Amino acid sequence: QKEVEQDPGPLSVPEGAIVSLNCTYSNSAFQYFMWYRQYSRKGPELLMYTYSSGNKEDGRFTAQVDKSSKYISLFIRDSQPSDSATYLCASAGSGAGSYQLTFGKGTKLSVIP
Amino acid sequence: DSGVTQTPKHLITATGQRVTLRCSPRSGDLSVYWYQQSLDQGLQFLIQYYNGEERAKGNILERFSAQQFPDLHSELNLSSLELGDSALYFCASSVASQTTGELFFGEGSRLTVL
């Protein structure tokens, strides 16, 4: 079992829709949770960053972490065609030996005008 | 623009050959990470260097090696290439030695092995 599982999609929604992207993870040591956005032919860029459980909001984006169920979510409100990209969830632990992020495989999102 | 520069952007080579991928981190970043991205495996961590020293190793094959130079640029060497090595190779950098998730990625080097 991969440490971070993500539905690869693809996911296609109309412009203005609310998008929900989800991941599950298995490593209880994970404390840091991220969402990266990757446009076609580009490198991933950090979109949202959360430490431990809870919600974080940034404009149209909300990240949620539920450590009790090991569930990570990203919500996009009022989705725009410019949101069309692959979204990668990622997690990292704390303490020794946890220097690298573990990524999900990514969900490809298309927002149709 | 993340500030991380990778060269070459595209590379086509034959099985059995050796290639070198180069990465210049963001100004001021001491850590360099190498990742491999393929359709079936997603983004896989290969290796991390911090200020010239190897810091962590992931799923890096013995045929692959990396180093970080005094000017902090890094090179990833891939040898005895196989068809399955075809992938996107990303370099990322960060200030800290221990990742908090805030990595800055380059645009990648696309390797095709024929």
Side-chain angles (χ1 to χ4, degrees), chain A residues 2-112:
Chain A
K2 273 184 70 71
E3 286 192 301
V4 179
E5 299 275 4
Q6 184 175 8
D7 185 341
L11 183 61
S12 185
V13 302
E15 183 176 352
I18 296 174
V19 176
S20 172
L21 303 169
N22 306 293
C23 289
T24 58
Y25 66 94
S26 58
N27 190 335
S28 299
F30 286 158
Q31 299 270 16
Y32 303 93
F33 304 94
M34 282 69 65
W35 284 94
Y36 280 77
R37 178 175 61 194
Q38 185 175 16
Y39 290 114
S40 180
R41 302 186 183 280
K42 297 289 186 182
E45 57 177 345
L46 182 66
L47 185 62
M48 297 288 284
Y49 168 83
T50 310
Y51 173 70
S52 195
S53 277
N55 293 1
K56 185 169 184 179
E57 190 173 319
D58 184 1
R60 297 183 295 108
F61 299 89
T62 300
Q64 281 186 355
V65 176
D66 182 346
K67 291 192 72 180
S68 62
S69 59
K70 297 189 175 69
Y71 206 75
I72 313 164
S73 300
L74 178 71
F75 299 95
I76 307 174
R77 291 183 300 280
D78 187 24
S79 56
Q80 302 295 309
S82 59
D83 296 327
S84 298
T86 297
Y87 290 80
L88 302 155
C89 59
S91 302
S94 60
S98 59
Y99 300 111
Q100 66 271 19
L101 291 180
T102 301
F103 283 86
K105 287 190 179 181
T107 300
K108 185 170 184 179
L109 171 68
S110 295
V111 180
I112 311 302

Side-chain angles (χ1 to χ4, degrees), chain B residues 11-82:
Chain B
L11 195 54
I12 302 174
T13 189
T15 55
Q17 296 299 303
R18 172 189 167 95
V19 299
T20 297
L21 309 180
R22 182 187 168 103
C23 169
S24 293
R26 285 191 327 157
S27 177
D29 284 357
L30 298 178
S31 271
V32 169
Y33 308 77
W34 286 98
Y35 283 85
Q36 179 192 59
Q37 188 176 42
S38 61
L39 279 174
D40 56 341
Q41 291 295 319
L43 204 56
Q44 297 283 311
F45 169 70
L46 296 178
I47 197 163
Q48 178 201 1
Y49 279 81
Y50 176 75
N51 204 21
E53 301 286 329
E54 182 183 302
R55 189 71 172 179
K57 237 176 183 177
N59 302 320
I60 188 165
L61 300 172
E62 284 192 13
R63 301 184 284 108
F64 296 1
S65 64
Q67 53 184 329
Q68 186 179 28
F69 295 87
D71 67 352
L72 300 178
H73 92 271
S74 178
E75 292 181 355
L76 178 67
N77 300 296
L78 314 175
S79 61
S80 303
L81 285 168
E82 301 175 359

